[in-house]
Amino acid sequence: ALMTDAASEQEYPRLEPDDVQSTATGTAADPTDAEPTYGDEPSQWPRGKVDPQKRLVAIVIDAVMISAAYWVLRDGLDLQFMDRRSVGKKLTKLRPVTMDGEQLDMMGSVRRNWMFGVGGVMQILVYIPILGWLLMIPVAILAFVIGIVELYRVIADPEGRRVGDLLADTKVIEVAE
């Protein structure tokens, strides 16, 4: 026969952190060591307001990750309004294509744009005290050098192919729509 939840709780009582003995020291476990878990019911959720600073940090992390992901994946996103090109390229009637004339897929976009994700890493480092701040300097220099090299290639190369285009075997063309 199946037991109801109430019956099983009576038969096997739930242990609280104060009830559990440490096997190594024989002392009670510190209840603050356990991660809090909350039920699915609103009545089981903790009361009060979440720290606004934590919410701000979460928003910044999400924005940076979304921004970096957009920069890396932008030319391969299969969204109708983008048509496998960045919003900027769509509005200026440009299209990145493979050297065979095909539209980019996600992997082609990653190969073509991975270097622009470096800027996203730098934005995350701002929020990591000391080590992140120290790493920001070399990452910022790297992102700057990448940007200069990419810009130089766009201007100097006869087909306007930057390093990302060489890595992904792509180029940018003008299109009618």
Side-chain angles (χ1 to χ4, degrees):
L2 294 174
M3 282 197 270
T4 65
D5 287 340
S8 65
E9 283 183 27
Q10 289 174 359
E11 199 169 318
Y12 301 103
R14 180 182 175 112
L15 295 176
E16 297 299 324
D18 290 338
D19 299 331
V20 178
Q21 298 293 318
S22 169
T23 56
T25 62
T27 60
D30 184 355
T32 60
D33 289 345
E35 285 289 323
T37 56
Y38 307 109
D40 293 333
E41 296 297 318
S43 63
Q44 298 170 330
W45 297 345
R47 297 288 176 225
K49 185 168 143 181
V50 172
D51 181 0
Q53 290 177 344
K54 278 187 166 183
R55 292 185 70 178
L56 177 63
V57 169
I59 289 169
V60 169
I61 290 169
D62 291 343
V64 168
M65 291 183 70
I66 289 169
S67 172
Y70 172 76
W71 274 95
V72 172
L73 301 173
R74 64 194 172 141
D75 294 326
L77 291 173
D78 192 13
L79 302 173
Q80 186 175 3
F81 73 95
M82 290 176 64
D83 193 25
R84 290 193 187 245
R85 54 187 161 170
S86 70
V87 173
K89 285 184 187 71
K90 173 86 174 178
L91 294 174
T92 56
K93 298 182 180 179
L94 301 175
R95 177 181 297 284
V97 294
T98 67
M99 293 306 285
D100 298 333
E102 299 294 320
Q103 291 184 12
L104 267 62
D105 60 7
M106 294 294 271
M107 284 311 298
S109 183
V110 169
R111 281 192 303 276
R112 183 173 190 277
N113 297 314
W114 67 266
M115 64 283 303
F116 297 124
V118 173
V121 170
M122 189 174 69
Q123 292 172 351
I124 291 173
L125 294 175
V126 170
Y127 298 98
I128 303 173
I130 303 170
L131 179 61
W133 301 335
L134 292 173
L135 289 174
M136 274 185 56
I137 295 168
V139 171
I141 292 169
L142 176 63
F144 180 75
V145 169
I146 288 171
I148 294 297
V149 170
E150 293 292 79
L151 179 61
Y152 172 78
R153 291 283 311 174
V154 167
I155 294 169
D157 186 78
E159 293 185 285
R161 294 179 72 202
R162 58 183 181 79
V163 174
D165 289 316
L166 298 175
L167 293 173
D169 201 26
T170 60
K171 69 184 272 181
V172 175
I173 61 171
E174 288 190 55
V175 294
E177 80 281 341

